[in-house]
Amino acid sequence: MTSTVITSLETIIVDLPTIRPHKLAMHTMQNQTLVVIRVRCSDGVEGIGESTTIGGLSYGNESPESIKTNIDTHLAPLLVGQDAGNINAAMLRLDRAAKGNTFAKSGIESALLDAQGKRLGLPVSELLGGRVRDALQVAWTLASGDTARDIAEAEKMLDIRRHRIFKLKIGAGEVHKDLAHVIAIKHALGDRASVRVDVNQAWDEAVAIRACQVLADNGIDLIEQPISRNNRAGMARLNARSPAPIMADESIECVEDAFNLAREGAASVFALKIAKNGGPRAVLRTAAIAEAAGIGLYGGTMLEGGIGTLASAHAFLTLAKLTWDTELFGPLLLTEDILTQPLVYRDFQLHVPRTPGLGLSLDEERLAFFRRDKTSTAISLA
């Protein structure tokens, strides 16, 4: 029997506007840029993937431009002509030839899974072991920096039953002002919502020791990456002292990082991100390490659009325990979409379809309108 092979791989940079600026400790996003990946196969099946970063190079080692260049120049030529149905072999081939580049690899793996799901008539979640839920509770980030505005936004989300978990991005301002801002919001929402903070590595250990105590005393449920990812010993000391759980995010740049963090007791919760691990299959290896070590799981995001969000969701649906839920709200930040049907958020959850593949289709006209470069750069069989 002749196997189905990958015939072409195309990367498309898409710039989409957001509903508001999104403030992080290291950057303020004014829009979101996606790298859409289209894998076409000899049986006529096409798989769609997405690679998305936050803030260009201010967050990590890859940018939309570097992702596109590295896929077009180095990764795509390794895949064209390869067996489209053997995703494991395809990704191992990339790993042997290219170090890192986890964002680029994640988009490629997502596209290969989407194609294989369509080929077999199965949702991606079933290719990843089988879903144990159909929907995921989703957190919302309050990132305006204005206390009254953030409280009003949270109240609206509760009223329309879209979110009851709220994360606050802090660390860019003075510590006492950040703490007062968070505490005021928690007091306003009370027990109706979970309030968490993400510091994006902005504090040093001495500041974090005191701040984590204050936050815990005022009902904050979770503290994400308060100090530098490079200070794992400090993370372990802080995790042992903080009354509120400490979550590792930037500390996990690959599956091996997850093993070392677990071994050293540097966090009580892991943020799972397919982009930082190299794809949906790879992120489940990090989840397995956490589960073996008794570490809680949280479904993280790189603020992907609908494609990357569904790729993450299909992986998270398979986890036995997702104690800290998810933050797959990226599509809700966008004022425009490139999918024919938007993702479904209702009753505080993202509902994931059981249709083959990722369960989406591209709106070709909108994709053409929002793509940065109007010319095709598909890498294909000669």
Side-chain angles (χ1 to χ4, degrees):
M1 180 183 294
T2 303
S3 65
T4 298
V5 300
I6 298 168
T7 57
S8 71
L9 196 152
E10 181 183 10
T11 56
I12 304 165
I13 294 181
V14 178
D15 296 304
L16 296 175
T18 55
I19 59 174
R20 56 166 164 76
H22 190 75
K23 295 178 65 176
L24 298 89
M26 80 295 288
H27 181 76
T28 298
M29 290 174 48
Q30 303 292 343
N31 55 29
Q32 184 57 300
T33 299
L34 324 177
V35 182
V36 176
I37 299 165
R38 308 183 79 158
V39 172
R40 296 181 177 92
C41 307
S42 59
D43 59 356
V45 173
E46 179 184 72
I48 307 297
E50 177 191 334
S51 297
T52 295
T53 67
I54 295 176
L57 292 173
S58 65
Y59 182 93
N61 298 323
E62 295 175 73
S63 68
E65 296 77 16
S66 72
I67 290 168
K68 177 175 173 55
T69 296
N70 286 338
I71 291 176
D72 291 350
T73 306
H74 302 288
L75 304 183
L78 293 170
L79 294 181
V80 172
Q82 299 300 306
D83 186 346
N86 193 337
I87 299 168
N88 190 48
M91 297 310 296
L92 286 172
R93 184 176 176 86
L94 295 186
D95 287 339
R96 284 193 295 266
K99 305 299 181 187
N101 287 276
T102 58
F103 286 75
K105 290 174 181 177
S106 178
I108 292 171
E109 183 177 277
S110 299
L112 291 172
L113 286 165
D114 182 43
Q116 184 71 342
K118 292 171 181 174
R119 187 174 293 117
L120 299 176
L122 294 171
V124 165
S125 57
E126 307 316 292
L127 303 181
L128 298 174
R131 65 175 67 190
V132 294
R133 55 183 69 83
D134 286 319
L136 299 161
Q137 190 162 198
V138 177
W140 178 251
T141 294
L142 301 171
S144 75
D146 179 89
T147 303
R149 181 177 172 185
D150 282 351
I151 291 172
E153 189 172 310
E155 293 285 5
K156 178 182 176 181
M157 296 303 173
L158 289 168
D159 287 344
I160 65 175
R161 296 181 59 80
R162 208 177 76 180
H163 306 280
R164 56 186 173 193
I165 303 169
F166 300 102
K167 178 194 281 191
L168 290 146
K169 294 284 189 177
I170 61 174
E174 297 177 29
V175 176
H176 73 281
K177 291 183 179 178
D178 278 348
L179 296 181
H181 173 64
V182 172
I183 292 166
I185 293 171
K186 176 57 184 175
H187 287 176
L189 301 179
D191 294 335
R192 294 175 295 149
S194 172
V195 176
R196 305 155 181 194
V197 298
D198 183 2
V199 191
N200 288 128
Q201 310 181 78
W203 294 338
D204 60 35
E205 187 178 346
V207 168
I209 289 171
R210 172 60 179 158
C212 288
Q213 181 68 59
V214 172
L215 291 169
D217 289 346
N218 285 276
I220 303 308
D221 294 325
L222 187 66
I223 302 169
E224 182 175 347
Q225 200 66 53
I227 64 176
S228 170
R229 67 175 299 272
N230 298 313
N231 187 5
R232 285 212 301 262
M235 286 279 289
R237 289 189 292 268
L238 191 61
N239 191 44
R241 293 187 61 167
S242 175
I246 300 297
M247 181 162 71
D249 178 20
E250 286 92 344
S251 294
I252 306 174
E253 296 289 342
C254 60
V255 177
E256 291 77 13
D257 282 341
F259 176 82
N260 290 323
L261 289 165
R263 181 184 61 186
E264 296 167 20
S268 299
V269 183
F270 281 179
L272 302 175
K273 295 183 176 179
I274 63 170
K276 291 170 58 177
N277 287 263
R281 293 162 61 253
V283 86
L284 293 180
R285 294 197 288 273
T286 289
I289 291 168
E291 289 171 340
I295 294 169
L297 297 176
Y298 179 72
T301 181
M302 291 303 297
L303 300 180
E304 292 97 341
I307 304 165
T309 295
L310 278 178
S312 298
H314 277 280
F316 300 158
L317 291 176
T318 71
L319 295 170
K321 293 183 180 179
L322 198 58
T323 306
W324 295 91
D325 300 300
T326 79
E327 57 174 337
L328 297 179
F329 66 90
L332 297 172
L333 277 179
L334 304 175
T335 63
E336 303 286 349
D337 205 345
I338 55 171
L339 302 182
T340 57
Q341 296 293 329
L343 275 59
V344 177
Y345 292 88
R346 68 168 186 270
D347 295 327
F348 305 113
Q349 295 180 311
L350 166 63
H351 295 259
V352 183
R354 285 183 172 267
T355 46
L358 293 174
L360 57 84
S361 60
L362 292 173
D363 184 319
E364 298 293 346
E365 289 187 4
R366 298 182 72 76
L367 177 66
F369 181 81
F370 287 108
R371 69 181 294 165
R372 184 181 297 178
D373 182 356
K374 306 303 182 184
T375 61
S376 174
T377 56
I379 309 301
S380 59
L381 284 170

